[in-house]
Amino acid sequence: MSLHWSLWIMFLVVLNLGITLFLFLWGTRVSIPTREDGTTGHVWAHGTLREGVRQLPRWWYLMSAGTFIVGIGYLVLYPGFGAYDGLLDWSSRGQLERAEERNQALLAPLLEKARNGAPSDLAADAEAVRLGGRLFQDNCAACHGRDARGNTTIGAPDLLDDAWVYGGDEKAILASIRTGREGVMPGWEFLGYGRVKNLAHYVSSLSGAPHRPTAAEVGKKRFDACAGCHGPDGSGNPAIGAPDLSDDAWLYGGELDQIMTSISQGRHGQMPAWKGRLDEAEIRLVAAWMLANGK
């Protein structure tokens, strides 16, 4: 804190405390004019109610005086009077750092275990799963949801089902968290509305979703252009992140109009890399939580 702001805060503290103390002392000694009956002459309800003057009880004086003592004592012991640190040298930052140090000391054995541990082994450790869940909520839930069931609005996949865009083995999961993923599907709007719709019916038929068989049969002839990425049977290609179109898991929704949008407009999904924010132990704990709670 600069000298200017320190002096300004000290001035405000002294001013407010001084005014309050003056009013307290003056209020106990001021003489209020009263009539013979002890009232001030102020009346309400046509004289039914009259304003009286009485001394405040002693306990009120003592309690009020005590607040001044506590306030001054606080300024002596704790920071608050400009740049003065207080006799106890306490600060919220210092308290936080000490709490973090105690927390890290408690977590150190588990983090050391997780640093080189396999996520599948950590998934059997209740404490590791609990910590992994907390890390997931803090870092991943914004996109994938608190329950990890995904968000079709932004193309964040469900992480607890058995459908994996880039593969569901431990190595693939860790790679997804560490370095992130970026999937791009080109738009096919040039095919025209009718052909896109027929193709969407065929894609729906691959997973057994409601569709028009005649339209799907026509759309099947156009699927050759998609097979290069999604495979001839639409089962996908984890190597390039082409999703399986024959299951019931959909990144951007499986309704016919949503599928048509995916085909005509294309999709561009990106998951950021977390290796700069989470260390290796934390990444493995998140993966362990996913494995422990998934199918």
Side-chain angles (χ1 to χ4, degrees), residues 216-251:
E217 189 62 30
V218 175
K220 182 179 181 180
K221 300 175 183 178
R222 297 287 175 183
F223 191 76
D224 289 345
C226 312
C229 292
H230 295 282
D233 57 355
S235 59
N237 185 349
I240 60 174
D244 187 343
L245 303 178
S246 63
D247 57 18
D248 59 353
W250 298 92
L251 288 177

Side-chain angles (χ1 to χ4, degrees), residues 83-134:
Y84 174 63
D85 292 331
L87 294 179
L88 298 181
D89 196 27
W90 179 92
S91 69
S92 58
R93 179 183 296 275
Q95 184 177 21
L96 174 61
E97 290 175 350
R98 289 190 294 272
E100 288 179 337
E101 289 175 0
R102 291 194 299 269
N103 188 56
Q104 287 300 319
L106 292 173
L107 294 178
L110 178 58
L111 292 175
E112 185 60 32
K113 176 183 177 181
R115 202 169 309 280
N116 297 305
S120 56
D121 294 334
L122 295 171
D125 186 326
E127 189 64 20
V129 172
R130 185 191 66 80
L131 180 55
R134 173 49 55 195

Side-chain angles (χ1 to χ4, degrees), residues 236-276:
N237 185 349
I240 60 174
D244 187 343
L245 303 178
S246 63
D247 57 18
D248 59 353
W250 298 92
L251 288 177
Y252 294 93
E255 299 295 328
L256 186 66
D257 60 337
Q258 294 170 319
I259 297 175
M260 289 182 63
T261 300
S262 295
I263 296 173
S264 63
Q265 303 299 323
R267 299 291 189 181
H268 183 184
Q270 184 172 18
M271 172 180 166
W274 291 92
K275 63 181 179 180

Side-chain angles (χ1 to χ4, degrees), residues 145-210:
R146 292 183 60 84
D147 58 358
R149 289 302 181 183
N151 185 343
T152 55
T153 302
I154 60 175
D158 184 335
L159 301 178
L160 302 186
D161 59 13
D162 56 359
W164 296 91
V165 178
Y166 290 91
D169 60 87
E170 294 183 18
K171 183 178 180 181
I173 295 174
L174 290 174
S176 295
I177 301 173
R178 285 194 198 103
T179 59
R181 300 291 189 179
E182 184 172 10
V184 180
M185 173 180 166
W188 296 83
E189 191 174 14
F190 64 87
L191 292 176
Y193 177 83
R195 291 170 179 169
V196 167
K197 188 172 185 179
N198 290 334
L199 184 55
H201 276 289
Y202 176 69
V203 171
S204 295
S205 73
L206 293 175
S207 61

